[in-house]
């Protein structure tokens, strides 16, 4: 109702009232049609040999009125549809928009726990559900209720309470049977929806991970999973169809029995001389007119109930609490130097598995800092906490002495540029994917950063140049090209704090060194605070400061040479593993054994290999 009757939108309210006026007018004209039909029938019962002239003109007028009423009822109904369409579609658009914005505002944990296919299907069905509910309420439920009330009133007034009583009993029996049968059928519909959601999620997962499916020859397995979901959907759909046949047959039996009884009562009235033939026609027409909307009651109720379920799912998405948000009237954060401090930070994605434990360190302003350590030590978590994908369990994070939780979230994220480990790309052109870093950039600015990250050669080689579509998730370009594109985005954003999460892991050594040199020059010139998360220590050896994490705590920190000089240094151990190649004894023995059975050329190759 809040969307249908918005507080500050008078034009919407006027449209709703006009639609309701048209609805009442349409039904009043519709009920008037049988009366004109009765008048025509009764007027025809004359001596045509002697009584013509004026009476003929009257009959002609009644016939015209009959035709005019029928057309008027339809016209008012169509005008109602046209007037209400803007209200309905605007309400649907507003709900869909609010849901989409809300989903984008939810924390990363929510999206990691949900399947994208199921979410998009829920939004799609929910918005269609709103459309159906509005249509059903305004065009079916209210008109049927109004029309039944008017017909019962007319029958009571003209022919006594017995006719009205039969009509009311019929409507009651019809409605109870319809509602109970439909409630029974709703269980099948809900299970069919779950199977449909499952099929959609399996299909989307399979298509998104198309390469993985191919790598492991698992097309048959994915097809079986999809067929299993479709098979469940098929079984419940068959039950829905067969139960619908039962519903329709029962509805028809109830209505036909009532109509037969009322026709018998009317004919008895004619035989007794209390009713005319026109009255029989009137009663038949009035009751029969109710059959048209009532025939839709089963499907309307079923779809209405289903639509309400779909709407509930949609509105429940809006009820999910936004955990990561700005405080009311939070001021924008101001970055003057770019110093980052973690003070006794404790955090875990699950309560029983902490990732960072009382972790404290400082990233100096304008410095190039590296965070290294074994897998699972919490390196990428540092980035996620600083960007406020999550909030810390205890402790605090400061930028230039400002607690990031007390400042505007949007302003914080605008100050941080990121090259993620897995580069997300849209199914757009190279130009638009790079421009995503700063939407107001000109084509010249985009081309400049493309050149800086050495993507210009790729652009020249492509038939469509910068307008080449990269494909869904960037599947049409290589991993290294995706990483360079992500770095181009970062350069375009030009944020005072930048994070590189394994940003050059997919590049060859020559390109990596050249690109790192360019990045270092740019950030040294702009005096940006640069943080690199890396496994390959050679890429960060020239950092001003290296922070070594292990099991969620800072184990050691210092420069490359300072850490190598330390005794029992984890950094030194990691460096030696990467820089020195050791062949284990088992491999040496295997090579010696193979040497005995190979020719002279193979012996020489094995010798060189050893």
């Amino acid at each position: 109702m809040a969307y249908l009757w918005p507080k500050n939108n008078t034009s919407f309210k006027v449209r709703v009232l006009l639609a309701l006026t048209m609805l009442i007018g349409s039904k009043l004209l519709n009920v008037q049609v049988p009366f004109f039909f009765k008048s025509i029938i009764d007027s025809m019962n004359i001596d045509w040999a002697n009584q013509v002239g004026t009476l003929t003109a009257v009959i002609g007028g009644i016939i015209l009125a009959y035709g005019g009423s029928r057309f008027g009822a339809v016209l008012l109904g169509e005008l109602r549809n046209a007037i209400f369409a803007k209200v309905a579609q605007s309400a649907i658009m507003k709900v869909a928009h609010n849901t989409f914005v809300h989903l984008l505002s939810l924390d990363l944990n929510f999206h990691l726990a949900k399947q994208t296919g199921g979410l998009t299907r829920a939004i799609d069905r929910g918005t269609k559900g709103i459309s159906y509910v509005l249509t059903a309420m305004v065009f079916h439920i209210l008109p049927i209720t109004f029309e039944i009330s008017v017909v019962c009133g007319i029958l009571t007034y003209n022919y006594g309470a017995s006719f009205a009583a039969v009509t009311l009993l019929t409507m009651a029996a019809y409605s109870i049977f319809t509602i109970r049968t439909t409630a029974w059928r709703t269980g099948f519909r809900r299970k069919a929806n779950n199977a449909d959601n499952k099929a959609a999620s399996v299909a989307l997962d399979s298509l998104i991970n198309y390469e993985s499916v191919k790598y492991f020859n698992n097309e048959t397995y994915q097809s079986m999973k999809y067929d299993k979901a479709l098979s469940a959907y098929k079984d419940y759909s068959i039950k829905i169809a067969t139960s619908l046949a039962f519903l329709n047959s029962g509805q028809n039996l109830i209505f036909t029995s009532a109509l037969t009884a009322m026709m018998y009562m009317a004919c008895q009235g004619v035989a007794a001389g209390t009713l005319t033939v026109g009255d029989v026609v009137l009663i038949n027409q009035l009751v029969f007119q109710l059959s048209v909307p009532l025939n839709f009651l089963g499907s309307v109720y079923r779809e209405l109930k289903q639509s309400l379920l779909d709407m509930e799912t949609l509105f429940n998405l809006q009820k999910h609490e936004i955990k990561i948000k700005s405080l009311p009237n939070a001021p924008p954060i101001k970055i003057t130097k770019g110093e980052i401090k973690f003070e006794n930070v404790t955090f875990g994605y699950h309560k029983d598995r902490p990732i960072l434990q009382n972790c404290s360190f400082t990233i100096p302003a304008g410095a190039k800092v590296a965070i290294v350590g074994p897998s699972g030590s919490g390196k990428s978590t540092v980035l996620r906490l600083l960007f406020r994908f999550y909030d810390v369990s205890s402790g605090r994070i400061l930028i230039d002495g400002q607690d990031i939780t007390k400042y505007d979230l949007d302003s914080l994220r605008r100050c941080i540029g990121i090259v993620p480990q897995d580069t997300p790309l849209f199914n757009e052109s190279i130009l638009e994917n790079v421009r995503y870093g700063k939407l107001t950039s000109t084509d010249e600015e985009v081309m400049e950063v493309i050149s800086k990250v050495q993507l210009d050669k790729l652009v020249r080689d492509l038939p469509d140049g910068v307008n080449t579509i990269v494909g869904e998730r960037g599947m049409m370009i290589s991993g290294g090209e995706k990483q360079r594109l992500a770095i181009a985005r970062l350069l375009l954003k030009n944020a005072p704090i930048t994070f590189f999460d394994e940003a050059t892991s997919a590049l060859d050594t020559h390109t990596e060194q050249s690109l790192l040199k360019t990045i270092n020059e740019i950030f040294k010139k702009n005096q940006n605070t640069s943080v690199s998360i890396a496994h390959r220590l050679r890429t960060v050896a020239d950092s001003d400061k290296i922070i070594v994490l292990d099991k969620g705590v800072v184990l050691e920190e210092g420069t490359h040479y300072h850490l190598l000089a330390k005794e029992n240094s984890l950094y030194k151990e990691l460096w030696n593993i990467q820089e020195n190649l050791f062949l284990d004894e088992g491999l040496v023995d295997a090579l010696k054994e193979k040497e005995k059975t190979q020719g002279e050329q193979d012996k020489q190759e094995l010798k060189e290999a050893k």
Side-chain angles (χ1 to χ4, degrees), residues 399-572:
I399 298 180
D400 288 339
Q402 304 163 99
D403 187 337
I404 63 171
T405 59
K406 296 177 181 176
Y407 289 84
D408 180 60
L409 183 60
D410 184 66
S411 68
L412 168 71
R413 290 177 176 172
R414 288 185 187 280
C415 295
I416 303 171
I418 296 171
V419 178
Q421 193 168 357
D422 181 25
T423 306
L425 297 180
F426 294 96
N427 192 13
E428 297 275 357
S429 65
I430 292 174
L431 185 74
E432 292 307 315
N433 267 292
V434 174
R435 202 199 304 274
Y436 203 76
K438 185 181 175 185
L439 296 175
T440 55
S441 302
T442 62
D443 288 356
E444 290 74 21
E445 288 172 328
V446 174
M447 292 307 299
E448 185 181 344
V449 294
I450 284 175
S451 177
K452 284 179 179 177
V453 298
Q454 300 176 27
L455 269 176
D456 46 344
K457 184 181 183 301
L458 169 69
V459 168
R460 285 196 302 270
D461 292 343
L462 292 169
D464 295 327
V466 287
N467 296 314
T468 301
I469 303 297
V470 300
E472 192 170 13
R473 297 185 303 117
M475 299 285 280
M476 301 293 285
I477 58 178
S478 71
E481 288 160 352
K482 283 166 69 175
Q483 282 194 330
R484 276 181 276 170
L485 200 150
I487 295 168
R489 274 183 184 172
L490 177 76
L491 296 179
L492 202 59
K493 185 175 182 180
N494 194 25
I497 297 171
T498 54
F499 263 84
F500 296 88
D501 190 0
E502 295 289 346
T504 58
S505 59
L507 300 178
D508 61 89
T509 307
H510 180 267
T511 306
E512 179 184 54
Q513 292 304 315
S514 177
L515 197 55
L516 287 172
K517 184 180 177 183
T518 303
I519 292 169
N520 289 338
E521 288 172 358
I522 291 169
F523 289 118
K524 193 171 285 185
K525 180 183 175 182
N526 297 340
Q527 295 185 326
N528 293 41
T529 302
S530 172
V531 184
S532 297
I533 295 168
H535 279 107
R536 289 197 294 178
L537 303 183
R538 265 191 174 275
T539 61
V540 296
D542 62 338
S543 299
D544 302 318
K545 184 179 185 179
I546 297 172
I547 298 167
V548 183
L549 290 180
D550 188 31
K551 296 177 182 177
V553 296
V554 176
L555 199 64
E556 53 200 19
E557 51 186 312
T559 63
H560 170 71
Y561 293 106
H562 170 76
L563 292 172
L564 285 182
K566 284 181 67 176
E567 292 293 327
N568 301 319
S569 166
L570 175 61
Y571 180 83
K572 183 179 180 180

Side-chain angles (χ1 to χ4, degrees), residues 17-299:
L17 291 174
L18 270 174
L20 290 174
T21 305
M22 297 289 180
L23 164 67
I24 294 167
S26 171
K27 289 306 168 187
L28 288 175
L29 281 176
N30 216 30
V31 170
Q32 193 62 35
V33 169
F35 281 94
F36 288 125
F37 200 22
K38 163 187 159 51
S39 299
I40 292 166
I41 297 296
D42 285 340
S43 301
M44 297 297 288
N45 190 24
I46 60 169
D47 183 0
W48 286 95
N50 300 312
Q51 299 179 3
V52 288
T54 306
L55 193 58
T56 308
V58 171
I59 294 171
I62 295 171
I63 292 171
L64 288 174
Y66 170 80
S69 296
R70 284 184 66 88
F71 177 71
V74 173
L75 179 63
L76 287 176
E78 294 305 320
L79 285 173
R80 173 202 63 190
N81 294 358
I83 289 169
F84 193 73
K86 185 174 182 180
V87 177
Q89 292 305 317
S90 296
I92 292 164
M93 190 188 83
K94 196 169 182 182
V95 173
H97 169 81
N98 289 349
T99 306
F100 182 69
V101 170
H102 187 78
L103 286 174
L104 288 179
S105 302
L106 290 171
D107 58 283
L108 184 61
N109 222 26
F110 171 86
H111 288 282
L112 292 177
K114 295 287 182 181
Q115 285 189 301
T116 309
L119 278 179
T120 53
R121 188 59 67 92
I123 294 173
D124 182 44
R125 278 209 311 262
T127 49
K128 286 179 181 175
I130 294 167
S131 176
Y132 194 85
V133 166
L134 295 177
T135 305
M137 290 302 294
V138 178
F139 302 155
H140 293 290
I141 307 298
L142 292 177
I144 290 173
T145 307
F146 181 71
E147 198 165 358
I148 290 172
S149 303
V150 172
V151 168
C152 288
I154 290 169
L155 290 173
T156 305
Y157 181 77
N158 287 350
Y159 307 110
S162 58
F163 284 93
V166 172
T167 305
L168 274 175
L169 283 171
T170 303
M171 300 307 128
Y174 193 100
S175 300
I176 291 168
F177 173 77
T178 300
I179 289 168
R180 290 202 169 186
T181 307
T182 306
W184 164 60
R185 296 180 68 241
T186 301
F188 301 144
R189 173 68 72 171
R190 187 182 289 110
K191 289 174 181 176
N193 272 357
N194 290 338
D196 185 34
N197 275 349
K198 180 68 176 174
S201 296
V202 170
L204 190 65
D205 273 352
S206 301
L207 294 173
I208 285 176
N209 297 296
Y210 170 82
E211 288 187 340
S212 296
V213 174
K214 289 294 181 184
Y215 289 151
F216 298 99
N217 301 86
N218 281 336
E219 294 92 340
T220 305
Y221 172 71
Q222 293 302 130
S223 297
M224 285 172 62
K225 281 181 71 176
Y226 189 55
D227 285 349
K228 187 178 178 182
L230 287 180
S231 179
Y233 181 72
K234 179 197 73 175
D235 292 341
Y236 290 119
S237 295
I238 291 169
K239 289 180 180 179
I240 289 168
T242 51
S243 59
L244 178 61
F246 170 73
L247 175 65
N248 289 340
S249 301
Q251 287 173 332
N252 198 267
L253 176 64
I254 292 168
F255 190 81
T256 304
S257 301
L259 186 61
T260 304
M262 291 182 78
M263 289 303 295
Y264 178 75
M265 290 162 63
C267 289
Q268 276 190 325
V270 173
T274 55
L275 299 178
T276 65
V277 175
D279 289 319
V280 176
V281 172
L282 173 62
I283 292 167
N284 179 279
Q285 286 282 295
L286 280 174
V287 178
F288 214 85
Q289 272 187 189
L290 294 178
S291 71
V292 177
L294 280 174
N295 276 342
F296 291 109
L297 184 62
S299 59

